[in-house]
Amino acid sequence: MAKPIAIEVYNPNGKYRVVSTKSMPGTRWINLLIEQDCRVEICTQKKTILSVEDIIALIGDKCDGVIGQLTEDWGETLFAALSRAGGKAFSNMAVGYNNVDVNAANKHGVAVGNTPGVLTETTAELAASLSVAAARRIVEADQFMRAGLYDGWLPHLFVGNLLKGQTVGVIGAGRIGSAYARMMVEGFKMNLIYYDLYQSTRLEKFVTAYGEFLRANGEQPVTWKRAASMDEVLREADVISLHPILDKTTYHLINKESLATMKKEAILINCSRGPVVDEVALVEHLKQNPMFRAGLDVFEDEPYMKPGLADMKNAVVVPHIASASKWTREGMATLAALNVLGKIKGYPVWGDPNRVEPFLNENAPPPAASPSIVNAKALGLPVSKL
């Protein structure tokens, strides 16, 4: 018999039972569910990652929908359990859904939600922060100070890289990659080289306009170039930020060979997906090239790092916090809750999952729609006319 799971209950007499596998930031998401007659159960178990068995126990015999996390294994077993309990809705509190077997969800008629449109600037800001931290050796210097080792100014103490006038390379110029590029170009007057299967016309126009502004003010204009290959970015850029999707074509996109292509003092940033980088190869490259630096928010085998990475002073590592701004995390919670609520109430699916502002406006009721259902087409769900 499964052990009981600790929960916190809101609106115990609600008609619809919605389970959240984790406590989430803010209270608006709870209130929105309660206002629509939902009983909300939040798991408070002192366990970072819930097992499949834990989540089955949470689902129980009757459950209308579940809000889950990227760290959970949502496959055949869980979707079968949710379907048996009468549930037709699941949402990740994340834009990614690599942890979800969408085919299994389709088989059991369960809508799968995610939360795009609210992470763009927040994720780009962290990528920019890691770029600066790595370039100026901020974490090393902080640890040095805290250890009581500073006994006076020295000419060579923690000399890093100047970003102004250097070249930033972006691999994957979608919403997040383009936002990061704009921050680095405008914030540090860096030149841009990017690689993407699709031309980023808006990004190119932005850099062109900013370059013209600088020229008009007597400064050196910034430039942009769309690379013909990823290798061209690796060879030319001083800072390289990864923003591709994760699929079989981008697994270990950065490996021993591609690292060898980069400049000896280059900086590699990854806020996309951990397996895009061959972490073992990266550790070895960091060892062999002490002036090469990396800033990582994601890891190949989260929550673990490959052996040796934690010892690398030329790597800045943070625990998957790219979306961890208050506004974004509260927004993600709201969108995930509304995905589940929308399916329970029979609402259509929002037409543009990246235009989420109407759902986040706290001064007005959210639209009667599910913000983002990734398998809406497979399930034949209607699209909102709003």
Side-chain angles (χ1 to χ4, degrees), residues 98-336:
N98 300 106
N99 62 312
V100 179
D101 184 341
V102 179
N103 290 330
N106 294 341
K107 173 184 170 183
H108 292 285
V110 177
V112 174
N114 69 335
T115 61
V118 74
L119 297 94
T120 301
E121 301 297 329
T122 299
T123 303
E125 283 183 5
L126 187 80
S129 299
L130 288 173
S131 301
V132 177
R136 297 303 302 271
R137 304 175 66 181
I138 290 172
V139 174
E140 287 180 80
D142 177 87
Q143 293 171 343
F144 182 84
M145 284 294 295
R146 292 176 191 276
L149 299 175
Y150 181 57
D151 57 7
W153 186 90
L154 288 170
H156 293 289
L157 190 60
F158 294 109
V159 172
N161 296 2
L162 180 70
L163 295 177
K164 181 183 177 182
Q166 301 298 301
T167 298
V168 61
V170 173
I171 296 173
R175 289 182 303 278
I176 296 172
S178 291
Y180 166 81
R182 291 194 303 269
M183 290 176 188
M184 302 306 288
V185 169
E186 187 174 19
F188 299 100
K189 298 175 182 173
M190 298 185 78
N191 299 310
L192 170 68
I193 181 171
Y194 79 93
Y195 175 73
D196 198 291
L197 296 177
Y198 303 98
Q199 184 175 8
S200 184
T201 306
R202 289 182 64 187
L203 177 59
E204 293 173 1
K205 288 181 177 178
F206 174 88
V207 180
T208 299
Y210 186 55
E212 291 171 353
F213 168 80
L214 292 174
R215 190 195 311 275
N217 285 274
E219 296 187 63
Q220 180 72 25
V222 292
T223 63
W224 64 265
K225 179 166 86 170
R226 183 186 177 196
S229 67
M230 185 184 79
D231 280 353
E232 189 176 354
V233 177
L234 299 180
R235 286 193 304 270
E236 296 186 18
D238 301 287
V239 180
I240 297 165
S241 192
L242 307 174
H243 301 279
I245 61 169
L246 175 62
D247 60 21
K248 62 183 180 182
T249 69
T250 59
Y251 176 79
H252 282 187
L253 189 69
I254 300 300
N255 51 36
K256 181 180 180 180
E257 291 73 24
S258 54
L259 287 165
T261 304
M262 297 171 68
K263 295 180 179 180
K264 292 292 186 183
E265 295 187 8
I267 296 167
L268 177 69
I269 305 298
N270 188 17
C271 290
S272 60
R273 292 288 180 264
V276 168
V277 175
D278 180 345
E279 213 166 290
V280 171
L282 176 61
V283 171
E284 187 59 29
H285 193 75
L286 288 165
K287 287 180 182 176
Q288 299 299 323
N289 299 275
M291 296 309 292
F292 184 94
R293 300 190 185 103
L296 306 175
D297 179 55
V298 288
F299 306 89
E300 195 169 351
D301 297 318
E302 284 190 31
Y304 308 106
M305 292 186 287
K306 293 294 187 184
L309 182 57
D311 300 323
M312 295 294 101
K313 291 185 177 181
N314 48 342
V316 179
V317 291
V318 294
H320 204 147
I321 58 169
S323 65
S325 69
K326 183 176 183 291
W327 181 84
T328 294
R329 288 282 172 91
E330 289 185 2
M332 292 166 69
T334 295
L335 294 173

Side-chain angles (χ1 to χ4, degrees), residues 71-84:
T71 52
E72 299 158 3
D73 183 12
W74 278 86
E76 169 67 27
T77 303
L78 286 182
F79 284 120
L82 182 56
S83 180
R84 285 194 302 270

